[in-house]
Amino acid sequence: MIAATELKLSKNQERLARTAVAHPEIVAFGTVHSLADHCAVSQSTVMRLAISLGFGSFREFRQVFRHHIRANTGFQR
């Protein structure tokens, strides 16, 4: 989804997106604060990326990553 989106991202948003794709567990099990700290960006950058990708909140953004991890590990709640 991130790769297919033809958005112009800031340098910080791009760093954040690359980290999210490479390490989905960081998004799936993290918070806005922990993700921002890990990527050395502001919390508002995390929120702006989620919103620019069409999500209404970080929670919705994180849910996609949780679903991806569950689907790829066979873990069902």
Side-chain angles (χ1 to χ4, degrees), residues 3-73:
T5 304
E6 295 194 20
L7 295 173
K8 292 290 184 185
L9 301 176
S10 70
K11 183 173 71 171
N12 286 341
Q13 286 176 323
E14 185 174 336
R15 181 177 347 140
L16 179 60
R18 288 181 185 277
T19 299
V21 169
H23 303 283
E25 71 281 357
I26 293 171
V27 179
F29 304 112
T31 63
V32 171
H33 181 78
S34 66
L35 182 56
D37 280 353
H38 182 83
C39 295
V41 300
S42 69
Q43 292 179 42
S44 60
T45 298
V46 174
M47 293 304 302
R48 279 193 298 272
L49 177 64
I51 290 168
S52 68
L53 291 171
F55 297 97
S57 66
F58 177 75
R59 179 182 229 165
E60 290 176 11
F61 179 63
R62 181 175 58 195
Q63 193 61 31
V64 169
F65 286 85
R66 287 182 176 181
H67 177 73
H68 170 76
I69 288 173
R70 284 186 191 125
N72 288 307
T73 62

